[in-house]
Amino acid sequence: MIQFIFWYLTLTLLGLLTFPLAWRLFPALADRGYALSRALGLLLWGFIFWLAVSLGIAQNDTGGLLLSLAALLALSVWALWRAGRGQWTMDDKPVVNGLRSTVEWAKSNLRHVLTVEALFLVAFAVWAFVRANNPETVGTEKPMEIAFINAILRSPTFPPHDPWLSGYGISYYYFGYVLAAMLAKFTATSGGVAFNLMLALVFGLSAVGAYGLLYNLLGA
């Protein structure tokens, strides 16, 4: 239960952190990318982290995660600066003006914001409950997936250690497992629990993504 709460809070804060960037990237959408902000934040954070570790700029540890998160924060601050640059005031502060614009949008679209938040929480919680009652990692590719997650958690650099061939890196696409391992490391979650929470998270993000798609199509 506590790990679910940690994951939920992490993804919610990540979505709020990334929304200014989504606001900048999706000006034509009716919801300015709000429904996609969690997924966008996770993907960008993961890509920055993966790139930094792969290039030797950071290590696969909490410090590397925080460094990558700081880079994502810098991108959001830049987006706020760009959004507020055209709003001239006597004490012109573009970042503050950009933040004010996003807050005003959220207030005027409070129903949509609350719907997205409620939908994500319910979808994430429902599938986490399902996996909690059926947590086995057997069948199809599940053993391989949890092996990759655990290998990434134990590897100081990328590519991660191959769990089947000692001394070699994983020769397979593994970015999705990096996202799961990132959240596991950031929230001090074991690999097995992270595997099941990641399945629930994908379900939750898919639910709000589908809702956001319909909202933007109908609101266009």
Side-chain angles (χ1 to χ4, degrees):
M1 180 64 177
I2 190 66
Q3 301 303 330
F4 170 82
I5 294 174
F6 285 160
W7 277 52
Y8 171 74
L9 292 177
T10 298
L11 266 295
T12 298
L13 293 175
L14 188 61
L16 293 175
L17 173 66
T18 313
F19 179 54
L21 192 57
W23 170 279
R24 177 68 185 173
L25 293 174
F26 306 115
L29 295 183
D31 77 340
R32 301 299 296 262
Y34 185 81
L36 302 174
S37 58
R38 279 187 177 88
L40 177 65
L42 182 59
L43 288 173
L44 288 177
W45 185 24
F47 178 75
I48 294 169
F49 177 66
W50 170 81
L51 187 63
V53 176
S54 296
L55 295 177
I57 299 172
Q59 288 285 304
N60 179 23
D61 55 20
T62 304
L65 289 172
L66 292 175
L67 178 64
S68 304
L69 196 60
L72 180 58
L73 175 61
L75 287 175
S76 286
V77 171
W78 170 82
L80 288 173
W81 178 78
R82 291 283 296 179
R85 194 171 58 167
Q87 303 174 30
W88 300 105
T89 61
M90 293 297 294
D91 54 340
D92 186 61
K93 298 177 181 178
V95 174
V96 175
N97 293 336
L99 182 60
R100 186 181 297 115
S101 296
T102 57
V103 171
E104 289 175 353
W105 177 90
K107 288 180 178 179
S108 61
N109 294 271
L110 187 59
R111 182 176 179 179
H112 173 65
V113 170
L114 293 178
T115 300
V116 169
E117 295 305 315
L119 179 59
F120 174 73
L121 176 58
V122 170
F124 186 28
V126 165
W127 207 251
F129 178 78
V130 170
R131 291 302 304 173
N133 286 276
N134 183 31
E136 293 86 357
T137 53
V138 295
T140 63
E141 294 186 343
K142 292 178 183 177
M144 181 199 75
E145 291 170 340
I146 196 168
F148 277 12
I149 291 173
N150 285 325
I152 293 169
L153 287 172
R154 289 173 169 81
S155 300
T157 59
F158 293 157
H161 300 315
D162 192 318
W164 289 290
L165 191 60
S166 179
Y168 290 84
I170 291 177
S171 181
Y172 194 76
Y173 49 87
Y174 60 89
F175 181 69
Y177 307 110
V178 168
L179 300 182
M182 279 173 49
L183 292 170
K185 192 180 293 289
F186 194 73
T187 59
T189 305
S190 66
V193 175
F195 173 82
N196 286 301
L197 282 175
M198 193 65 187
L199 293 177
L201 177 59
V202 170
F203 183 77
L205 293 177
S206 298
V208 294
Y211 169 76
L213 177 63
L214 288 174
Y215 181 89
N216 287 300
L217 286 174
L218 296 176

